[in-house]
Amino acid sequence: RGSGAGSPPGGRHCWVRSLHVAQQRLLRAGGGQRLHRHDPGLAIVGGAGNSRQAQEMVARLAPDVVLLDIAMPGGNGIDATRAIKELAPAVVVIILSLYDDVQYIEAALNAGAAGYFLKTVKGSDLATAVRSAHEGDTVFGPGVADKVFGRLQPQLRGADQPAPWQQPSRRE
């Protein structure tokens, strides 16, 4: 899927072009530097401050991955994810948030996000996640994964047991 030509510095397998969307310019710049420091093959192609700018930059720059703040002016990250995925279905969106509420996580995934991380994520973990999501994986930060699994666990309990209609009756 990589858009860049050749190999990135350090011999990594492909360039991954990312766009960073956050209200604060400092967060956009700092996030890009953290990623690039941990994986020089992660090329930062731009930064946007709101949903409208993000959609314009996705159309113009064709990033592979968009790192998207869930809270921003002029719309939220969930609506922005939906709009970006409609505009460019192949673009991978990873949500960055202060909120670890399962409802936000589910809404982001339903909108088409491939990952969800708290803003406290370590740069090395986020760099690994960007590359993994680019390769087709769904990615979660550790605390987020626990919440998602906790939500699924009741549904998974007993999944190896036959459904009531599949069990023999007392006569059988």
Side-chain angles (χ1 to χ4, degrees):
R1 272 179 76 161
S3 300
S7 293
R12 293 299 298 250
H13 41 285
C14 73
W15 289 100
V16 177
R17 298 164 40 86
S18 66
L19 172 69
H20 298 241
V21 184
Q23 182 176 354
Q24 295 89 3
R25 182 181 304 264
L26 185 59
L27 287 178
R28 292 192 305 264
Q33 290 171 353
R34 282 190 329 168
L35 283 180
H36 190 71
R37 182 175 49 232
H38 292 286
D39 184 342
L42 300 179
I44 315 310
V45 297
N50 60 49
S51 178
R52 181 187 50 76
Q53 289 174 353
Q55 292 170 57
E56 290 170 0
M57 293 184 91
V58 163
R60 190 171 74 241
L61 300 173
D64 299 307
V65 177
V66 175
L67 293 173
L68 187 60
D69 191 338
I70 200 166
M72 68 181 87
N76 62 60
I78 293 166
D79 292 338
T81 297
R82 194 173 291 110
I84 288 167
K85 293 300 286 182
E86 286 175 15
L87 176 68
V91 170
V92 173
V93 177
I94 298 174
I95 297 289
L96 297 173
S97 179
L98 290 173
Y99 314 111
D100 66 351
D101 188 294
V102 174
Q103 292 171 326
Y104 285 111
I105 300 164
E106 286 180 357
L109 294 175
N110 288 335
Y116 194 105
F117 284 80
L118 297 180
K119 290 183 180 180
T120 55
V121 63
K122 290 191 270 183
S124 58
D125 292 342
L126 188 57
T128 299
V130 167
R131 191 159 292 281
S132 293
H134 178 254
E135 293 170 359
D137 295 335
T138 301
V139 293
F140 297 112
V144 174
D146 291 344
K147 293 248 181 191
V148 170
F149 185 72
R151 181 71 164 237
L152 291 174
Q153 202 168 21
Q155 297 169 23
L156 298 174
R157 264 191 217 113
D160 58 343
Q161 301 297 315
W165 60 268
Q166 294 174 317
Q167 295 176 352
S169 67
R170 289 188 184 170
R171 291 185 303 198
E172 297 177 58

